[in-house]
Amino acid sequence: MNPFLETLLDTPLDDTYRGVPPGDDAIPLRAVATRRWQPRSGNMALPVLTLDEAAFAHNVDQIFGYARSHGAALAPHAKTPMSPQIVQRLLDAGAWGATVANLQQAAVLLRAGVRRLMLGNEIGGPASGARLGKLLAAYPDARMLMFADSPETVRSLAAAAEQAGRPAEVLVEIGGGRAGARDDAAVAAILDAIGAHPARLALAGVATYEGAVATSDAAVTAKNIAALMERAAKAFRQVRALAPDTPLVFTAGGSAFFDQVTQAAKPLLEQDGNAQLVLRSGAIFFHDHGTYQRALKAMDARAGFTVDGQARHAATDFQPALRLWGEVLSRPEPGLAICGFGMRDVSYDQDLPMPLAAFRDGAPLPGWDPQARVTRLNDQHAFLAIAPDSALAPGDVIEFGISHPCTCLDRWRVFFGLDAEGRVQSAYRTFFG
């Protein structure tokens, strides 16, 4: 194991981390299972964020099975958990590499031993190029593919390559709605700029991100993605003409529309014969009860999730793996419960957390109201609308599903993996900076 990961597992886990009971002695991350904590029993400090280990492993099998059956590789977007332990698990499962959003994330994973990265964003100007050059020089054995959507970005990458003393590999980014070249003239300018630095820059392929052109209308979204992929394919052919013998990368694919990416890229890559489709899906490994559940239901409506030629049901094949556990603090009104978590603890940009079950003394609370819902959040309080005659009382523990893993995980320095009995078996450090 990489020395960074070994040291990470020896990190003392004490009561400065959410979830650890106040006053408990510190324990190394690697030994957390010996405490036999169980969130629903109330023997952890709440709130706490947990990962269903079986659901996570199941999701890994599902998406890797999909990628294998379509000849695709996976470079999971590490920005979702920003946990070197999780990234290593995905590499062990066969990931091509990992994707990062910025240089801080790249530095974390390089230190953790990851040696194939995709920088899925533009780096900025000369100052950022200098930081990139220093990072590349520090890890001469690492391969990093970098996006470029303008001559200015290309010049920054060229300066980084000169500082690092080795060529930088560039992916021409085609985009809409966010970053990325918008037209043929922009692509031509990028290619000309790369060609002006033949000793410093190497063409590595084409990148895009289909989620940036999505709308609330499925038909419009499909049309937008098809048009984006057509422009990306055209750019890919231009790159191939300039690099006729180079093994190239064609990369796209988040966690909501990877089926449309795969379908659109297949004929292009089959015709080329010397290129790899790399999907950058990240949230799919964690899934959720909200935004991605809706996305996978939409995928099923278009019969997009196929494995070995057989249509599958993505909305049920993938399982929500994250849970937020909160304690009832108050029943100030008949139809209201106040829970001890809030905007500092859980995502709310897509949906509010969804109550799933309640527990008292570790056992399910009889008569749980399936209509209970979170109506709003303060910094540290959740407002739970319940039936006026609900038996819910202060001290009861409620299990919540979340929506949008990326903006939930980034609120936690540590989240905990649970076994089949709901007991903590692992702890994952995060490095969001």
Side-chain angles (χ1 to χ4, degrees), residues 17 29 86 110 193 204 211 220 237 257 272 286 303 401:
Y17 292 91
L29 239 65
I86 292 288
L110 287 168
V220 172
R237 287 189 284 268
F257 307 103
D272 182 85
F286 301 90

Side-chain angles (χ1 to χ4, degrees), residues 257-323:
F257 307 103
F258 57 82
D259 60 316
Q260 291 171 290
V261 165
T262 303
Q263 184 178 8
K266 184 177 181 179
L268 170 72
L269 300 184
E270 285 182 345
Q271 182 181 27
D272 182 85
N274 191 23
Q276 176 69 65
L277 172 63
V278 180
L279 303 176
R280 304 195 302 276
S281 312
I284 194 70
F285 298 97
F286 301 90
H287 194 36
D288 67 15
H289 284 87
T291 184
Y292 284 107
Q293 180 65 8
R294 291 191 296 274
L296 294 192
K297 285 182 178 178
M299 186 179 294
D300 289 339
R302 58 182 182 260
F305 189 60
T306 60
V307 177
D308 296 327
Q310 298 295 314
R312 304 275 291 274
H313 296 285
T316 53
D317 281 357
F318 289 93
Q319 301 171 6
L322 293 173
R323 299 290 191 277

Side-chain angles (χ1 to χ4, degrees), residues 201-357:
L201 301 178
L203 280 166
V206 168
T208 191
Y209 175 55
E210 72 290 348
V213 299
T215 73
S216 59
D217 186 306
V220 172
T221 295
K223 181 179 179 180
N224 289 351
I225 291 175
L228 178 66
M229 293 298 291
E230 185 175 340
R231 289 199 293 118
K234 182 177 181 180
F236 180 87
R237 287 189 284 268
Q238 292 175 269
V239 170
R240 173 55 76 203
L242 296 171
D245 301 317
T246 302
L248 297 178
V249 165
F250 186 97
T251 179
S255 295
F257 307 103
F258 57 82
D259 60 316
Q260 291 171 290
V261 165
T262 303
Q263 184 178 8
K266 184 177 181 179
L268 170 72
L269 300 184
E270 285 182 345
Q271 182 181 27
D272 182 85
N274 191 23
Q276 176 69 65
L277 172 63
V278 180
L279 303 176
R280 304 195 302 276
S281 312
I284 194 70
F285 298 97
F286 301 90
H287 194 36
D288 67 15
H289 284 87
T291 184
Y292 284 107
Q293 180 65 8
R294 291 191 296 274
L296 294 192
K297 285 182 178 178
M299 186 179 294
D300 289 339
R302 58 182 182 260
F305 189 60
T306 60
V307 177
D308 296 327
Q310 298 295 314
R312 304 275 291 274
H313 296 285
T316 53
D317 281 357
F318 289 93
Q319 301 171 6
L322 293 173
R323 299 290 191 277
L324 191 285
W325 302 82
E327 185 176 7
V328 177
L329 304 182
S330 174
R331 281 290 311 273
E333 301 169 11
L336 175 66
I338 302 297
C339 297
F341 70 91
M343 291 185 289
R344 297 177 185 272
D345 309 298
V346 71
S347 50
Y348 56 91
D349 56 316
Q350 300 287 344
D351 301 280
L352 292 171
M354 293 143 233
L356 303 175

Side-chain angles (χ1 to χ4, degrees), residues 24-390:
D24 270 22
D25 293 334
I27 187 172
L29 239 65
R30 68 171 77 247
V32 69
T34 62
R35 293 288 167 92
R36 295 185 61 77
W37 289 327
Q38 188 180 45
R40 70 178 185 231
S41 296
N43 58 11
M44 298 188 77
L46 301 182
V48 67
L49 183 70
T50 64
L51 176 75
D52 181 326
E53 290 281 10
F56 178 81
H58 176 81
N59 294 340
V60 170
D61 289 343
Q62 294 299 309
I63 191 63
F64 273 94
Y66 173 88
R68 172 193 51 76
S69 73
H70 290 277
L74 288 165
H77 211 317
K79 72 176 177 62
T80 300
M82 263 319 293
S83 168
Q85 297 156 270
I86 292 288
V87 172
Q88 188 59 54
R89 286 183 62 175
L90 298 178
L91 292 172
D92 291 343
W96 174 93
T99 301
V100 292
N102 55 45
L103 296 184
Q104 179 265 338
Q105 294 177 9
V108 169
L109 294 192
L110 287 168
R111 186 177 294 187
V114 181
R115 287 299 177 263
R116 186 149 59 181
L117 291 173
M118 197 178 299
L119 181 57
N121 205 350
E122 274 64 38
I123 64 163
S128 188
R131 290 189 290 271
L132 172 62
K134 186 176 181 180
L135 188 63
L136 292 174
Y139 296 93
D141 59 334
R143 182 186 184 195
M144 189 184 303
L145 277 58
M146 290 155 285
F147 287 18
D149 69 351
S150 70
E152 291 81 6
T153 298
V154 170
R155 286 193 286 272
S156 294
L157 293 176
E162 182 177 25
Q163 182 176 348
R166 60 189 176 104
E169 296 188 75
V170 185
L171 296 167
V172 178
E173 185 184 12
I174 308 302
R178 200 166 71 182
R182 294 295 200 266
D183 53 35
D184 291 348
V187 173
I190 296 166
L191 293 175
D192 287 345
I194 294 171
H197 303 280
R200 298 180 191 170
L201 301 178
L203 280 166
V206 168
T208 191
Y209 175 55
E210 72 290 348
V213 299
T215 73
S216 59
D217 186 306
V220 172
T221 295
K223 181 179 179 180
N224 289 351
I225 291 175
L228 178 66
M229 293 298 291
E230 185 175 340
R231 289 199 293 118
K234 182 177 181 180
F236 180 87
R237 287 189 284 268
Q238 292 175 269
V239 170
R240 173 55 76 203
L242 296 171
D245 301 317
T246 302
L248 297 178
V249 165
F250 186 97
T251 179
S255 295
F257 307 103
F258 57 82
D259 60 316
Q260 291 171 290
V261 165
T262 303
Q263 184 178 8
K266 184 177 181 179
L268 170 72
L269 300 184
E270 285 182 345
Q271 182 181 27
D272 182 85
N274 191 23
Q276 176 69 65
L277 172 63
V278 180
L279 303 176
R280 304 195 302 276
S281 312
I284 194 70
F285 298 97
F286 301 90
H287 194 36
D288 67 15
H289 284 87
T291 184
Y292 284 107
Q293 180 65 8
R294 291 191 296 274
L296 294 192
K297 285 182 178 178
M299 186 179 294
D300 289 339
R302 58 182 182 260
F305 189 60
T306 60
V307 177
D308 296 327
Q310 298 295 314
R312 304 275 291 274
H313 296 285
T316 53
D317 281 357
F318 289 93
Q319 301 171 6
L322 293 173
R323 299 290 191 277
L324 191 285
W325 302 82
E327 185 176 7
V328 177
L329 304 182
S330 174
R331 281 290 311 273
E333 301 169 11
L336 175 66
I338 302 297
C339 297
F341 70 91
M343 291 185 289
R344 297 177 185 272
D345 309 298
V346 71
S347 50
Y348 56 91
D349 56 316
Q350 300 287 344
D351 301 280
L352 292 171
M354 293 143 233
L356 303 175
F359 299 87
R360 182 173 294 168
D361 300 324
L365 185 66
W368 170 247
D369 179 9
Q371 301 304 314
R373 71 189 190 283
V374 174
T375 59
R376 63 189 177 102
L377 299 173
N378 292 159
D379 283 359
Q380 312 269 190
H381 298 88
F383 293 71
L384 185 65
I386 55 177
D389 61 351
S390 171

